[in-house]
Amino acid sequence: MPKLRIDNVEVEVAEGATILDAARAAGVRIPTLCHLPGYPAQGACRVCVVEVEGAKNLVASCAAPAVEGMKVRTTTRRVREARRTVVELLLSDHHGDCQTCERNNDCELQALARELGIREVRYAGQKSPARRDESTPALVRDTGKCILCRRCVQVCAEVQGVGALQAQNRGFLTQVGPAFDLPLDSVTCVQCGQCSAVCPVGAIFERDQIDEVWAALENADRHVVVQTAPAIRAALGECFGYPPGTLVTGKMVTALRRLGFDAVFDTNFTADLTIMEEGTELLTRLKRKLVEGRDVPLPMFTSCSPGWVKYAEHFYPGILPNISTCKSPQQMFGAVAKTFYAEKLGRPREEVFVVSVMPCTAKKFEAGREGMNSSGVRDVDVVLTTRELGRMIREAGIDFAALPDGRMDSPLGLSSGAADIFANTGGVMEAALRTAWEIVTGRELPFDNLHVAPIAGLQGVKEAAVEITGTVPDWGFLDGVTLKVAVAHGLGNARKIIERVLAGEGDYHFIEIMACPGGCIGGGGQPRMTDDSVRAARIDAIYREDEGKRLRKSHENPDIRTLYEEFLGEPLGEKSHHLLHTAYAARERI
Amino acid sequence: MNGARAHVLVCTGAGCVASGAHAVAAAFRKSVVEHDLGGEVDVVETGCLGPCAVGPVAVVYPDGVFYQQLTPDDAREVVGEHLLKGRVVDRLVHREGEGQAGIPAAGDIAFFRSQTKVALRNCGSIDPMKIEEYIARDGYAALARTLAEMTPQAVVEEITASGLRGRGGAGFPTGVKWRFAMSADGERKFVLCNADEGDPGAFMDRSILEGDPHSVIEAMAIAGRAIGSGQGYVYVRAEYPLAVERLGHAIAQAREYGMLGQDILGTGFDFDLEIRMGAGAFVCGEETALMTSIEGKRGEPRPRPPFPAQKGLWGMPSLLNNVETYASIPPIILRGADWYAGMGTEKSKGTKVFALAGKVKNTGLVEIPIGTPLGEIIFDIGGGIPDGKQYKAAQIGGPSGGCIPRQHLNVPVDYETLNELGAIMGSGGLIVMDEDSCMVDVARFFLEFVQEESCGKCTPCRVGTKRMLEILERICKGEGVEGDVERLVELGERIRDTALCGLGQTAPNPVLSTIRHFREEYDAHIRQRRCPAGVCPELVRAPCQNGCPAGVDVPGFVSLVGEKRYAEALRLHRERNPFASVCARVCFHPCERKCRRGSLDDAVAIRGVKRFMVEQEDRPNVPEVRADADNAKRKVAMIGAGPAGLSCAYFLARLGYRPEVLEAEDRPGGMLVQTIPPYRLPRKHLEREVRMIQKLGTKIITGRKLGRDFTLQELREGGYQAVFLAVGAPQSQKLGVPGEDLDGVTDALRFLRDHNLSGRSEVGRRVMVIGGGNAAVDAARTALRLGAESVTVAYRRTREEMPAYAEEVDAAEAEGVEFRFLLSPAEVVGNNGAVCAFRFRSQIPGAFDSSGRRRPVDSGEPEVELPADMVITAVGQSLPAGEYFDGLGVKLDRRGYVQVDPDSGRTSIDWLFSGGDAVSGPASVVEAVAAGERAAEGIDRYLTGESHAFWREERQVDTFFDPDADPAEFARARAEELSPEKRRRGFEEVEIAWGEAVAVREARRCLRCDYGKDG
């Protein structure tokens, strides 16, 4: 427990803490730029330098360990001028059209320049080339804005294990991007958008599709419906200054209505539907394996996370048969809206326009995947991220805080608490278990408040095992079977589980994978900056939403029952199969 | 080695291989067989011997005869002559200078003699492909001792006590590093060798790996034992294929012999090595980047701490040293720490290998005790600067290093001293630069290198060095602005303070150190748009013109002479220098020193061409004058009618002024008439050019001496709006020895002035001239002509260090003047109040002084007394400022000369300008002309508010030049002179002008460096 002095404030910190940690503990603010809390320090930007007594040079506080007896100064002229020089140098190589930048007023570089009182960039010179990469449906890269802090590189390689972005070339020509300067759509990028969530400037951001939504809303021939993913309601408030974890479901619904959507629905509805389909799929696979002795791909992996699906297609094509064939809730919603709902409405499916609001950039990619048009038209027309919705509301001049609470429309607006928890890691698994368990045993899942505690929380890889006893007659073959499940979030953790499975360790039956750390609540399209405390707050809010619901299990959702009765028939039935399921294909691994 | 009678060791270091060593070795072998010497003579291919510049080289043992620049034919000759008949082939041995006697024995050659080889002990002595030869030279004995007799602690203590420091750059104590690694906890540990040698010009690590790979293997095994590691990696750059091949071979052999692998020497110790090849990124020499690269990632540094000893390769404790450091380990173990610590300085023990490169005669690898003065490395081992050029700076430590200027030649080369001077030891790259190096360009070059090699991770290094580079590029292009140097310093210091790794932290060093030592060169680029060294292409029209202080369009007038357009040529010359005829005789022609033809064969004889040109002036050739009624009314005065004052008047007159020149003596010309003897400058030529200046509207008033007849204040009050002070440095300095006041002692200025102005011709029988400058030589040659029986010039330094022009010294010697060197005046010996002898203390060259020359010190030998009845002292001149500036408060510099703005010649008083020797101290005529021109421009600008110096505009002459044609093949034409016998008899001009054919041909030797450059 080293004790040290920072600007004459004595502070004691844990072993292994950095000077930056110590400063924060001492209430001393040190500006940072390349630093990502919770990940190994890179020491790249040099904005956080401080003076340490006895050290020859200034020290990067994000990387330097706090040492017993250390004396640190953070406000001296030497420190201030060094920081200022570093930021001036960054600005000198930055195409800084702030007023029209996607990150205007939400930019860490801009904020730093203001904080350090920079009024002039004394070191003008050549700038790195500004090229825009708009090759993917999800993300836009603008090299002219990039300040090479490498947070995206770190997240893509170390958190996601994808490594689609990396530093290339040397010296001033160094740039961050896909290998060989290829466009993003021709490398292994899974479009999870975690890069865009950590980018401090406007160098990587979601493709902005607000105008496409406005155009649809203004088109009298269109019936525009919107679905919002469960993770939105726990994060959208952050766009308007609410603390992370504030639930704004009601205000969100009102805002969407004021924007002009003809119907405000909920992706939760199809999350419940997903549980019906996916739960049945799992039980079917188990039955074929255990009863019929057929060679069925097990364990089964969840399929709701499009970043994860694309990751598997690139890196582990061998396990594609193990991934549930269920479309994600977003796509199921689109398919149902363009068929069941359109029929109910009495309008041709072409006139129904589906907008989804997702915490995720990969959803933009998913909406355009092959096969996502089983009704004959695209399931989902436009995907907005949480950040885009925030901007759209602001653009419309809506005073979000002053909005009254609204309620989702029927029939695609009713959902169970099980659907809510799709938003966070462990949630899909828990939702599936709530239903599957009850189908198999006729009893409620034997966990406190229906929460499967071992697979909740932010630990990277989680697992649980439940012995099935007292089955209903149809599922007797499962009696005595210990159901083994595992959960991973963040693709780096997914890799760990897959490697374990491929190595024959951990004979799981069902594995939930979400591409982003924390699950969808930590998605690449969520308000920035998402760290573990923010993730925890959002997860907490999601569980509150779940627990506040009368319906807690997907199979109890009466509108889902109606949907099956009136339209789909039965889970995994022919119509479901046609509308709600899809296929995967291996992709190149550059 | 086997029982052969003789061995031929052929160097097969990469340098010699590149110049054909394999063919030479093959020729040796074949020839040995042909001469049936198979059993008697063994031909061995060894590693680098060091003197790469003269490769391929070989040494024949047992005689130890060193042969250089060998061809296969030479090899056959050596076998036939030396090995068969025992006759050394003199043609192929080393010699210290052209025409000097050969030095057959390697041990007698200064390059080898001054070295102490520890790390290089086996390089050039053994066949690196044979482990047996390494073992025969005590190889692996240190490992055996380590394993059998020493605890790991004892090994580390031995290394610590030896004082060995990291030879890769930063000089961190090796023993401390080993101790950290030894005491670190980790499930595995690694021993790493940094062979990612990347400094431009440094190749010692490569040479060791190529010439003695087992020394590194053995040391790494020792290190493995000491820190408790079983696995090592050598990180070599892929550009070193020969090193990789030989090291790989050596590792395999070491395994075969049980020196690597399991249970080494039966002691139960396991250790193995692998080679990892890097793609040649400079930054991978940084330890954390190197480890990242071995891990298979992009080679980029990571923050330290944690240090490698705590968390290194794959997060495990790792010990990293460079090749040279490892190579020094086995001898330390075998011979003991005390032996090693006995070499070097207090804080820097042992020896260090340097790669001598650049403008030095003997380039190559040298190993010397740390603390050897830089001057000794360059001049004794390196043989000094080739082509008679001046040493300017040594760049030490590669791109992270700095430049050491002349005034620090005597510093001991050790870690601390180099740091104090803004350089670093680095890996030992030592690049010598002569006067033709532009220090701004050098800084730009190194910065460009580090900028390109920066990994781009941290902001200061990626962007900061780019910004510095951009500023330097601007300065080199002549687009620098006031404040750029300060910006460079500020940015450089910030980068040093904030960059992530050693590369970035040291990247500004070359810039900061050149600014520190060569600030004036930066200022010249920025303020005068001039590159004094003649390097920066945008600032240099032609190097000769750039080298001319007056900026005369040399290629212009030379090419006009080549087309026989003499009047135009002369007119062009006088655009920038009115004294064409004077300079054609007395100029020391710095233009020729810079002539590019010199690198082809010999410089164009520019002064000879000029001499011919001025001989063709039949009608007075007057330059363009722009009449100006306003200027005609402005009263301006020059004080002193020497070359500076008259030039100033000349240029002002061309702007329509009516300058007045006040001269103390009764004849104008200053030193041109007072001290330069008529045999060099016949008076009529000077008078003609003075008349030409008068004709332009200049009024010369003689017999008016400042301080005697008028004061500066009076001039001012008399309505002079600007005054140019060009009074020279007319006071002789005293010797400061007893007997100086004896009869027969005089000083050179007085002696020459008396003769030249008053025609006095009293001279002693035996004349002793004290000094080594031009005044001394002029006095000596004048004394000889006046009838002295013997004239001796005594100088306290050596001939090479004489400030006098070498051609003057040669001419004087030819006429019979005797030169004595290394004699320091002790006493003028008198007899009855008159001189009878001069006593000297004999000197030897001592340490290098601040002028970059060896300071003469007493040799300890008995004093030398030489008979003399007349003594002429010429040991310096000064400005009698007290006489001139009565209460005016004119600022002087430290040496007592007038301090002026270098652009305009303006003094600390706004209306007073100055130039010539009064500002610079004794200097050349052409420098005085240049000072006069600058002051003329400065005065005009002061009086009118703008510059009108129309003569400064460059114009391309319309002479014919075919850029595709080969250069004219004639050799440089020699100057024609009177015979020495004739010369001695009187004051007739020594040099004779060429005929037209010779002059025109010589002019056509010009390479026309100005071609395609307009202004």
Side-chain angles (χ1 to χ4, degrees), chain B residues 46-369:
Chain B
T46 72
C48 183
L49 278 157
C52 309
V54 292
V57 300
V59 183
V60 176
Y61 285 102
D63 331 34
V65 173
F66 175 77
Y67 289 112
Q68 62 185 38
Q69 285 173 314
L70 293 172
T71 65
D73 283 342
D74 295 336
R76 282 185 277 279
E77 186 176 341
V78 169
V79 174
E81 284 293 304
H82 187 155
L83 292 167
L84 200 64
K85 300 178 189 159
R87 290 196 293 246
V88 170
V89 185
D90 185 64
R91 177 175 75 76
L92 299 169
V93 303
H94 181 79
R95 46 203 82 223
E96 303 280 306
E98 222 173 286
Q100 295 196 28
I103 310 172
D108 295 337
I109 298 170
F111 181 82
F112 293 113
R113 201 177 52 218
S114 319
Q115 296 194 50
T116 309
K117 295 199 173 190
V118 176
L120 299 176
R121 63 194 178 282
N122 291 328
C123 283
S125 306
I126 63 168
D127 182 341
M129 300 298 270
K130 292 187 177 145
I131 191 172
E132 300 87 348
E133 295 201 0
Y134 180 70
I135 291 172
R137 307 245 316 186
D138 293 336
Y140 290 106
L143 176 61
R145 173 178 292 181
T146 309
L147 295 177
E149 302 167 18
M150 297 170 84
T151 61
Q153 286 76 10
V155 175
V156 171
E157 271 161 33
E158 197 67 30
I159 302 301
T160 309
S162 75
L164 176 64
R165 295 167 66 170
R167 297 291 185 240
F172 190 80
T174 306
V176 176
K177 213 178 205 180
W178 286 37
R179 191 165 63 239
F180 284 153
M182 179 175 69
S183 36
D185 292 325
E187 52 178 285
R188 296 187 72 189
K189 292 183 185 179
F190 297 104
V191 175
L192 309 175
C193 175
N194 186 347
D196 188 67
E197 190 170 48
D199 286 4
F203 57 99
M204 54 283 291
D205 292 349
R206 191 194 71 201
S207 286
I208 292 170
L209 289 180
E210 287 172 0
D212 191 19
H214 286 287
S215 66
V216 175
I217 298 172
E218 180 180 10
M220 290 182 74
I222 293 171
R225 166 67 165 183
I227 70 160
S229 161
Q231 179 65 48
Y233 293 98
V234 184
Y235 186 84
V236 198
R237 46 179 48 220
E239 293 98 318
Y240 283 1
L242 191 60
V244 172
E245 181 197 321
R246 292 190 183 161
L247 178 65
H249 179 83
I251 290 175
Q253 273 190 328
R255 282 198 198 115
E256 224 172 275
Y257 275 67
M259 303 296 178
L260 282 179
Q262 304 282 309
D263 192 21
I264 293 173
L265 294 169
T267 59
F269 172 61
D270 303 337
F271 185 81
D272 211 343
L273 270 186
E274 277 179 44
I275 299 176
R276 283 285 183 272
M277 274 192 273
F282 180 65
V283 71
C284 287
E286 198 276 342
E287 58 181 15
T288 59
L290 182 148
M291 294 185 303
T292 312
S293 178
I294 294 180
E295 289 168 8
K297 301 179 199 142
R298 174 179 161 97
E300 283 184 345
R302 44 200 196 213
R304 297 184 316 166
F307 293 98
Q310 306 158 301
K311 272 187 168 188
L313 186 63
W314 289 303
M316 302 296 167
S318 304
L319 173 69
L320 176 71
N321 293 120
N322 92 323
V323 172
E324 189 187 336
T325 316
Y326 280 128
S328 305
I329 298 284
I332 291 174
I333 297 290
L334 279 185
R335 303 179 69 171
D338 291 346
W339 160 77
Y340 194 76
M343 296 177 283
T345 64
E346 194 198 332
K347 287 185 175 168
S348 303
K349 308 289 190 195
T351 59
K352 173 81 191 89
V353 182
F354 289 93
L356 264 180
K359 298 295 179 65
V360 60
K361 282 181 191 152
N362 308 328
T363 58
L365 279 193
V366 298
E367 184 170 4
I368 43 162

Side-chain angles (χ1 to χ4, degrees), chain A residues 41-46 49 56-59 63-65 77-78 81-83 85-87 89-90 92-93 122-127 147-150 167-174, chain B residues 281-284 298-306 450-464 466-467 470-471 487 490-491 494-501 505:
Chain A
Q42 310 194 76
C45 73
R46 319 307 285 176
V49 288
K56 194 173 93 202
N57 294 336
L58 295 177
V59 165
R77 170 172 289 274
R78 185 173 159 211
E81 288 188 347
R83 285 179 188 162
T85 299
V86 166
V87 175
L89 288 173
L90 287 173
S92 76
D93 184 26
R122 289 166 296 167
Y123 307 109
Q126 191 192 328
K127 292 189 180 198
I147 55 168
L148 288 103
C149 72
R150 313 225 187 156
Q168 291 160 78
N169 304 330
R170 295 200 167 265
F172 189 72
L173 302 176
T174 307
Chain B
F282 180 65
V283 71
C284 287
R298 174 179 161 97
E300 283 184 345
R302 44 200 196 213
R304 297 184 316 166
V450 284
Q451 161 58 216
E452 281 177 2
E453 290 293 339
S454 162
C455 78
K457 186 170 178 181
C458 79
T459 315
C461 185
R462 182 185 70 247
V463 190
K466 172 71 175 176
R467 297 295 172 248
E470 286 170 338
I471 295 173
R487 246 186 299 277
E490 187 186 315
L491 199 46
R494 294 275 159 75
I495 293 168
R496 191 146 80 177
D497 209 14
T498 55
L500 168 61
C501 80
Q505 286 160 12

Side-chain angles (χ1 to χ4, degrees), chain B residues 364-382:
Chain B
L365 279 193
V366 298
E367 184 170 4
I368 43 162
I370 298 183
T372 304
L374 179 60
E376 280 180 26
I377 302 178
I378 294 168
F379 290 93
D380 295 349
I381 301 175

Side-chain angles (χ1 to χ4, degrees), chain B residues 396 435 507 513 952:
Chain B
I396 300 189
E435 60 193 68
S513 95
R952 288 186 178 182

Side-chain angles (χ1 to χ4, degrees), chain B residues 409-426:
Chain B
L409 269 176
N410 199 43
V411 297
V413 175
D414 62 42
Y415 292 94
E416 282 70 29
T417 312
L418 292 180
N419 276 346
E420 275 165 33
L421 290 174
I424 61 166
M425 184 81 83

